[in-house]
Amino acid sequence: MTEKCADSVLRVLDGLCPMHLVLDGQGLVVHCGATLRKIFAPIDPVGLALTSLFVVKRPRSGEGMQALLARKGKKVQLAFRAAPYTEMKGIVLDLSDTTPGCIVLNLSFGISLIEAVRSYNLTNGDFAVTDLATEMLYLHEANSAAMEASRQLNQRLQGAKLEAEKQAFTDTLTGLNNRRALDPLIARLVEKGENFALMHLDLDHFKPVNDRLGHAAGDHVLCEVAQILRKATRSGDTIIRSGGDEFILVFSSMPKQFDLNSLAERLLRALSQPIAFNDATCEISASVGIALSAHYATPRLDEMMEDADMALYAAKAQGRARYVVYSTALRHVSNDTATQQIVNGQASAGE
């Protein structure tokens, strides 16, 4: 090697171009920069043909030394023959005029830099200090850090948004959904074309609990009712405390074997059990009105709520602690009852 290329030239190349190859006239590697040695390890490229290490992609005129020399001073494109087949660009310099038999091929990764650094475990020290690759690596690291910080900030903001939305839709006493959650829920179900049932549940004899034992007892009863409703329903069902002692339950994903009647009866039985509060016992029950989305060409929440209320009124009129599923026949009954109440001067509100 020292006969063909002066030591001083090699020292310059090693210092400034750690990704260079020195080739002889037949295309054999006679010297290799430190970074390329690291990439080729454990193989020693010295003594091997350039074409055994790389596929020459440009120029397409051939892979021999004559084809490369024809591009001297111009860009060439190559790719490693071994995995991960990284593509590189380079420039060929023919130093034969001053240093006989000395052909230099200096290489760089170009746009493949970031992948190559990962694939070959390279660091800033593997590049010349004047190489723009070090700047690109720094910018990449800075960009990655900024992107990670942005991702974490977005996660925190999204988490805060979800928590705020959750609180906005949550009843603070029972932990159930509140009335605000009903509109978007029904809108989603209608958009999906899914059949669902809307159940309006009102507690019977709740006011006497408050009057006799105070609001602490009333709050305790409401929390116990919330637990009863959770246990009696499926995980995908929605329970809403719409205000006071009223609850709305929405049952979606109802397969043929889903028995809404049995579920309503089970709820009524559970809510009829006495609830202990300190040394006292709270006696309540529940009346339920149900509207089914399948009974409407296009279900609307306001219409279904009105019909469920009418069914609830009918359940209370029949003696409470029972459920009624809405049907159009209830409208005639409701109108007749309302007329009779006006004639008799009776109030329509009940506990």
Side-chain angles (χ1 to χ4, degrees), residues 139-302:
L139 290 174
H140 176 72
E141 291 175 1
N143 182 64
S144 297
M147 292 294 291
E148 177 61 20
S150 176
R151 185 187 67 81
Q152 292 180 1
L153 177 60
N154 285 335
Q155 281 185 334
R156 290 196 297 271
L157 291 174
Q158 184 67 15
K161 178 184 175 183
L162 292 175
E163 182 61 26
E165 290 177 350
K166 180 180 178 181
Q167 291 180 4
F169 289 111
T170 301
D171 174 57
T172 54
L173 175 64
T174 62
L176 299 174
N177 291 310
N178 62 24
R179 180 61 179 78
R180 294 189 189 94
L182 185 59
D183 295 83
L185 169 64
I186 299 302
R188 287 196 301 271
L189 294 175
V190 171
E191 184 179 0
K192 290 166 61 177
E194 187 172 337
N195 285 334
F196 61 93
L198 187 149
M199 177 184 290
H200 190 180
L201 184 150
D202 183 71
L203 299 182
D204 305 320
H205 316 298
F206 180 74
K207 186 175 182 297
V209 172
N210 272 337
D211 293 344
R212 182 169 61 93
L213 300 174
H215 288 289
D219 289 349
H220 174 73
V221 168
L222 291 173
C223 291
E224 288 296 306
V225 168
Q227 285 296 100
I228 291 170
L229 297 179
R230 288 189 184 100
K231 290 178 181 178
T233 55
R234 303 168 301 171
S235 60
D237 299 330
T238 302
I239 310 169
I240 292 170
R241 183 189 173 205
S242 57
D245 59 349
E246 295 184 34
F247 298 82
I248 297 171
L249 291 81
V250 179
F251 303 93
S252 58
S253 302
M254 297 189 298
K256 291 182 178 179
Q257 66 270 24
F258 181 72
D259 192 340
L260 186 61
N261 295 326
S262 295
L263 187 146
E265 291 171 356
R266 189 165 66 252
L267 278 175
L268 295 179
R269 284 195 302 271
L271 293 171
S272 295
Q273 300 300 313
I275 297 175
F277 176 72
N278 295 335
D279 297 329
T281 300
C282 305
E283 301 279 353
I284 62 166
S285 62
S287 298
V288 169
I290 300 172
L292 303 175
S293 66
H295 292 169
Y296 305 85
T298 301
R300 294 200 331 267
L301 177 57
D302 56 348

Side-chain angles (χ1 to χ4, degrees), residues 32 49 52 54 57-58 62 103 108 136 153 156 173 230 251 303 312 318 323 351:
C32 179
S52 69
F54 293 97
K57 294 200 162 188
R58 296 283 191 283
I103 301 167
S108 69
M136 290 181 63
L153 177 60
R156 290 196 297 271
L173 175 64
R230 288 189 184 100
F251 303 93
E303 185 179 7
L312 173 63
Q318 292 175 20
Y323 73 94
E351 294 176 1

Side-chain angles (χ1 to χ4, degrees), residues 89-161:
K89 63 180 181 178
I91 185 170
V92 178
L93 298 175
D94 186 0
L95 304 184
S96 299
D97 294 342
T98 57
T99 308
C102 186
I103 301 167
V104 178
L105 174 61
N106 193 39
L107 299 168
S108 69
F109 290 111
I111 61 173
S112 302
L113 174 64
I114 304 303
E115 290 182 15
V117 167
R118 295 195 195 101
S119 299
Y120 304 113
N121 196 28
L122 301 178
T123 67
N124 286 347
D126 293 312
F127 300 91
V129 293
T130 55
D131 193 335
L132 286 178
T134 58
E135 304 297 327
M136 290 181 63
L137 290 174
Y138 171 77
L139 290 174
H140 176 72
E141 291 175 1
N143 182 64
S144 297
M147 292 294 291
E148 177 61 20
S150 176
R151 185 187 67 81
Q152 292 180 1
L153 177 60
N154 285 335
Q155 281 185 334
R156 290 196 297 271
L157 291 174
Q158 184 67 15
K161 178 184 175 183

